[in-house]
Amino acid sequence: PRSKKKWCPSMTGRPSSWRRSWRSRASAGRPTRSGTTRWSRPSGSSRDRMRSAARRLSPAPSASRGTACIVRDGATIRGDLARVRVGRYCDVGRDATLRPPPRDQEAHIPQSIGSHVRIGTGAVVDAAWVGAGVRVGPGAVVGKCVVIKDFCVIAAGAVVPDDAVFAPFSIVAGTPARTVGTLSPGAATQHRREAETHSRRALAGRVTPRT
């Protein structure tokens, strides 16, 4: 005797219109006959539209501050040009300016300011990278795309030329600025302790604003 074959959707026992509707339900993401859900991948044009919409809805460049970071009156952080990240226990003095350096005529490079950094009154910082524990004196001008590594000291009134790079623990002074000395390794602990103590006291209102 012949064995009976089990029916399946691919057999011709059902109208072709039923098979087409079953497949359309599966491609639309609705529950299929087997109980699973299938999703169709968007076409190339759909993906492009979704990506362009995500770019339009994405937030503009901004500035982020770490824990116990102090920004004094009149200080300017140009987060509208590119992203500016300021680490914890930083102190941006009065009328100081943090500005991301330009990459070309239209775009700017994100600026990173490490933790425990103190920037003096009226200083202008266009550096791309400022390491942890750096001290920038009042009135200093740091040029575009400068890299200042950890625990450097920029003297008051110094003018740092563009694209300069300074090694850790350097003392920088002059116009144009250059390395004039080196700090001891123990300065790292001292800078951290001073920055944390100063930030905590300033936030608690126990110290006067630094000039």
Side-chain angles (χ1 to χ4, degrees), residues 114-149:
S115 62
H116 304 85
V117 173
R118 297 177 70 177
I119 298 174
T121 301
V124 178
V125 180
D126 290 340
W129 179 272
V130 177
V134 171
R135 301 288 186 267
V136 179
V141 178
V142 180
K144 303 171 184 176
C145 299
V146 172
V147 175
I148 304 174
K149 298 188 178 180

Side-chain angles (χ1 to χ4, degrees), residues 135-142 152-160 170-174 177 180:
R135 301 288 186 267
V136 179
V141 178
V142 180
C152 288
V153 174
I154 310 298
V159 178
V160 180
S170 298
I171 301 175
V172 180
V180 296

Side-chain angles (χ1 to χ4, degrees), residues 25-114:
R25 287 196 302 272
S27 62
R30 299 173 183 173
T32 61
R33 191 170 181 273
S34 61
T36 59
T37 303
R38 300 179 185 178
W39 298 93
S40 59
R41 185 174 181 177
S43 60
S45 59
S46 300
R47 288 196 299 272
D48 294 339
R49 285 196 297 270
M50 287 189 290
R51 287 171 182 169
S52 61
R55 283 194 294 268
R56 289 196 301 271
L57 295 175
S58 61
S62 60
S64 62
R65 296 185 296 171
T67 305
C69 180
I70 302 171
V71 179
R72 305 288 182 179
D73 295 338
T76 303
I77 300 178
R78 294 297 306 272
D80 58 316
L81 300 176
R83 184 166 182 83
V84 179
R85 186 189 67 84
V86 182
R88 59 180 184 167
Y89 299 111
C90 289
D91 188 350
V92 182
R94 292 187 178 186
D95 300 323
T97 302
L98 300 181
R99 185 167 48 206
R103 177 180 299 166
D104 49 38
Q105 294 181 354
E106 298 180 357
H108 288 72
I109 301 173
Q111 187 179 58
S112 178
I113 308 296

Side-chain angles (χ1 to χ4, degrees), residues 145-209:
C145 299
V146 172
V147 175
I148 304 174
K149 298 188 178 180
D150 297 346
F151 306 107
C152 288
V153 174
I154 310 298
V159 178
V160 180
D162 297 347
D163 302 317
V165 179
F166 296 101
F169 301 99
S170 298
I171 301 175
V172 180
T175 304
R178 58 186 180 86
T179 302
V180 296
T182 304
L183 296 174
S184 63
T189 304
Q190 180 183 357
H191 283 194
R192 288 195 186 100
R193 187 183 297 112
E194 289 178 356
E196 292 178 9
T197 303
H198 182 82
S199 296
R200 291 194 183 103
R201 289 181 177 177
L203 292 175
R206 291 198 296 266
V207 296
T208 57

